[in-house]
């Protein structure tokens, strides 16, 4: 049986393996609260009595012993009689609560904050987000009037304010000013005396091109501090105000020069600076999602190579696994580079010491699964990464692991329902944790899956949400997917963008989309547009030959056609093979296509959200009829 898990944010409560413990007595809950505030240190019986009663009775010692005995039975229900307790132990003339930091919500939050103090911005963001998620309610709310709780509540209130401001600082460093505005809007109202919150809010507003609001915020801060609280504002606010008035370039996050900074940091790393290498690597995910995929990819490989020169497996593991950019297309932009990254991640996994954190292992496993998309079965790695991420409880890590599992969810055709559920979970986690990149990714996954499930109304709602998030958070690449969805499924007249920044997405896709658009209007159309089909050539060419009257050449192409990659185009590729097989009466290819498509009998060949060949059942019916008559 696992050790108890205790929560103090809100009512003091405890559970074991998901089963709540019946802490029906207020004194039980209060004593637990007292021990939690002691953080594993012993509390004397006299101190417990002082905390519980203003005027203790003559039997106070006996009462405390009774409460302790009852608590021990609640916290260790399977402990045998006359065996020593392991959770609530006797220490000298008092008692101590012996639990791991993971078993108490406030301890988890404090540990995450302590780790964030020395972390790079990306890591600090994840840790502080996790800490604040623990704060779902006021701590020790039931005992707010008790003297022992008042001091602790005041300390924790200040600690939470610190966490919010440090999170704002990390997100400013990462270029996520819009998120900082939402984070600090209510914070400055709750803590008007904390100047750091006002300063960061004003800076975030300025970086989102709201100069007037930034100046108004500084004026509000001055009023609250001077007029409301009788405090003199510090020099930092006045300095910031002057900088905003003159549009000081020093206030800008140097996004435009980020490529140069990354290259410089990477070059410095080769001369011996681990700190500069890690600092550079933390910028790569933000650079990639904001449109700089090529530069981010180049610098990622440079950073990995530089890290391996140090011979430090922990450092290299952090660099390799720290690129938590979810892939939205199941075909790699650069298969050769992906293969090198997989090799590096596997090397690091084999070199990690037993003492390495589960977080490092999870990130490396997820990286292996992510970068192997469409080329190798790495489902086991993806599932293990997800298991570790769920145990650790980091929402950003879990979203990345789920994104990796999505990339490995194409074992057969017909798994759109699985992907829809993955996308929905990513959305829920990312929305609660304020992770816009992953929320966008989850919505793209769900939109694509809903197309295969023929729920175009829900898919359209996701497309609108993607556009809104992409505009708000400056994610230009994300808008490619809704544009293609509307062109394919909503008859949008405007030609969608090519997505040239994503070669794995764009190469061959426009030509293929043109063919499938004709086939949706007329399945038997004899004139199909030709073009550069890129990686989709083997599965479209037999049909083009057949419709052009070149039956022998089409049959030869079907003889050689390979199984398509296990990716978003799986059902479309097999459907094209099936249509060509029907056209030329090629029974072996028809049998292969029928067998591969059968699991998707209740779906549409539309799981990409970009191209569609309509209901798979229609093609299966045509294949069955052909095979029966063969």
């Amino acid at each position: 049986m696992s050790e108890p898990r205790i929560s103090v944010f809100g009512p003091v409560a405890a559970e074991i393996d998901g089963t709540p413990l019946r802490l029906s007595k207020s004194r039980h809950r209060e004593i637990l609260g007292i021990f939690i505030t002691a953080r594993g240190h012993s509390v004397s019986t006299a101190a417990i009595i002082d905390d519980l009663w203003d005027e203790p009775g003559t039997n106070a010692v006996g009462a405390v012993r009774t409460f302790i005995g009852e608590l021990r039975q609640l916290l260790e229900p399977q402990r045998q009689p006359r065996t020593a307790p392991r959770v609530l132990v006797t220490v000298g003339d008092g008692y101590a609560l012996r639990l791991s930091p993971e078993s108490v919500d406030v301890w988890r939050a404090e540990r995450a904050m302590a780790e964030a103090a020395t972390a790079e911005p990306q890591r600090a963001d994840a840790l502080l987000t996790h800490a604040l998620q623990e704060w779902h309610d006021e701590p020790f709310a039931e005992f707010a009037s008790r003297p022992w709780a008042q001091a602790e509540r005041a300390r924790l209130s200040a600690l939470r304010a610190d966490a919010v401001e440090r999170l704002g600082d990390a997100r400013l460093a990462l270029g996520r000013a819009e998120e900082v505005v939402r984070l600090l809007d209510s914070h400055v109202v709750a803590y008007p005396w904390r100047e750091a919150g006002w300063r960061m809010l004003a800076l975030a507003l300025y970086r989102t091109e709201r100069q007037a609001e930034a100046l108004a915020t500084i004026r509000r801060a001055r009023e609250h501090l001077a007029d409301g609280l009788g405090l003199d504002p510090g020099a930092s606010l006045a300095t910031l105000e002057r900088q905003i008035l003159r549009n000081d370039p020093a206030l800008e996050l140097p996004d435009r020069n980020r490529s140069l900074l990354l290259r410089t940091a990477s070059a410095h790393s080769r001369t011996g600076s681990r700190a500069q290498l890690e600092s550079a690597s933390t910028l790569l995910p933000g650079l990639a999602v904001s449109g700089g995929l090529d530069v981010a990819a180049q610098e990622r490989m440079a950073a990995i190579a530089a890290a391996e020169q140090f011979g430090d497996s922990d450092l290299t593991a952090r660099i390799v696994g720290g690129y938590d950019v979810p892939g939205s297309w199941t075909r790699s932009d650069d298969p050769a580079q992906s293969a090198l990254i997989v090799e590096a991640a596997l090397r690091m996994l084999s070199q990690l010491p037993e003492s390495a954190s589960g977080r490092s292992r999870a990130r490396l496993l997820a990286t292996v699964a992510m970068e192997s998309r469409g080329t190798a079965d790495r489902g086991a790695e993806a599932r293990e990464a997800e298991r570790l991420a769920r145990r650790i409880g980091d929402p950003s890590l879990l979203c990345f692991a789920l994104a990796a599992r999505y990339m490995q969810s194409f074992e057969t055709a017909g798994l759109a329902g699985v992907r829809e559920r993955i996308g929905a979970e990513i959305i829920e986690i990312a929305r609660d944790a304020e992770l816009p990149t992953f929320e966008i990714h989850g919505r793209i996954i769900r939109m694509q899956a809903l197309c295969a499930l023929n729920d175009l109304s829900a898919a359209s709602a996701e497309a609108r949400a993607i556009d809104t998030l992409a505009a708000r958070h400056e994610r230009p690449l994300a808008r490619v997917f809704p544009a293609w969805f509307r062109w394919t499924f909503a008859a949008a007249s405007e030609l969608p963008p090519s997505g040239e920044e994503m070669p794995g997405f764009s190469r061959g896709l426009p030509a293929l989309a043109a063919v499938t658009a004709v086939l949706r209007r007329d399945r038997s159309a004899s004139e199909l547009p030709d073009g550069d089909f890129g990686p989709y050539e083997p599965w479209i060419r037999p049909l083009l030959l057949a419709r052009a009257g070149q039956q022998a050449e089409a049959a030869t192409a079907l003889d050689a056609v390979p199984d398509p990659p296990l990716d978003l185009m799986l059902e479309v590729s097999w459907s094209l093979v099936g249509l060509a097989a029907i056209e030329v009466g090629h029974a072996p290819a028809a049998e292969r296509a029928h067998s591969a498509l059968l699991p998707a009998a209740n779906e549409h060949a539309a799981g990409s959200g970009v191209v569609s060949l309509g209901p798979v059942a229609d093609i299966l019916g045509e294949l069955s009829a052909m095979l029966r008559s063969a």
Side-chain angles (χ1 to χ4, degrees), residues 313-314 317 347-354 356-357 360-361 364:
S313 60
D314 284 340
R347 280 198 303 275
M348 292 307 100
L349 281 166
S350 68
Q351 295 172 19
L352 278 181
E354 292 185 4
S357 70
S360 293
R361 195 173 301 279
L364 287 171

Side-chain angles (χ1 to χ4, degrees), residues 112-113 115-133 163-177 179-180 182-183 282 285-286 324 359 363 393-397 430 432-438 475:
M113 287 189 62
E115 189 177 343
T118 57
E120 294 292 335
Q122 192 86 17
R123 176 79 177 123
D125 181 2
L127 288 165
L128 292 167
T129 297
H130 177 66
L132 289 169
Q133 283 179 326
V164 170
E165 291 168 4
R166 286 164 55 189
L167 179 59
D169 202 33
R171 290 182 176 175
L172 279 174
L174 293 168
R176 293 155 60 183
E179 295 177 40
V180 176
R182 295 197 302 274
L183 178 72
T282 62
D324 54 354
R359 190 182 305 275
R363 285 198 177 280
D394 179 342
S396 178
L397 180 61
D432 289 345
E434 296 184 350
L435 300 170
T437 297
F438 282 113
R475 304 289 195 266

Side-chain angles (χ1 to χ4, degrees), residues 45 48-49 52-53 55-67:
T45 301
I48 296 172
I49 291 172
L52 292 181
W53 292 284
E55 296 181 7
T58 57
N59 195 33
V61 172
V64 167
R65 288 173 178 168
T66 298
F67 293 142

Side-chain angles (χ1 to χ4, degrees), residues 3 82 113 123 126 165 184 198 215 227 271 280 345 360 391 407 424-425 446 477 491 493 519 530 560 625:
E3 68 179 15
R82 292 182 296 281
M113 287 189 62
R123 176 79 177 123
E165 291 168 4
L184 295 179
W198 291 106
L215 292 169
D227 301 338
T271 67
S360 293
R391 179 176 63 78
M407 287 298 182
E425 184 174 7
R446 190 162 185 267
L477 299 183
S493 57
L519 291 171
D530 208 335

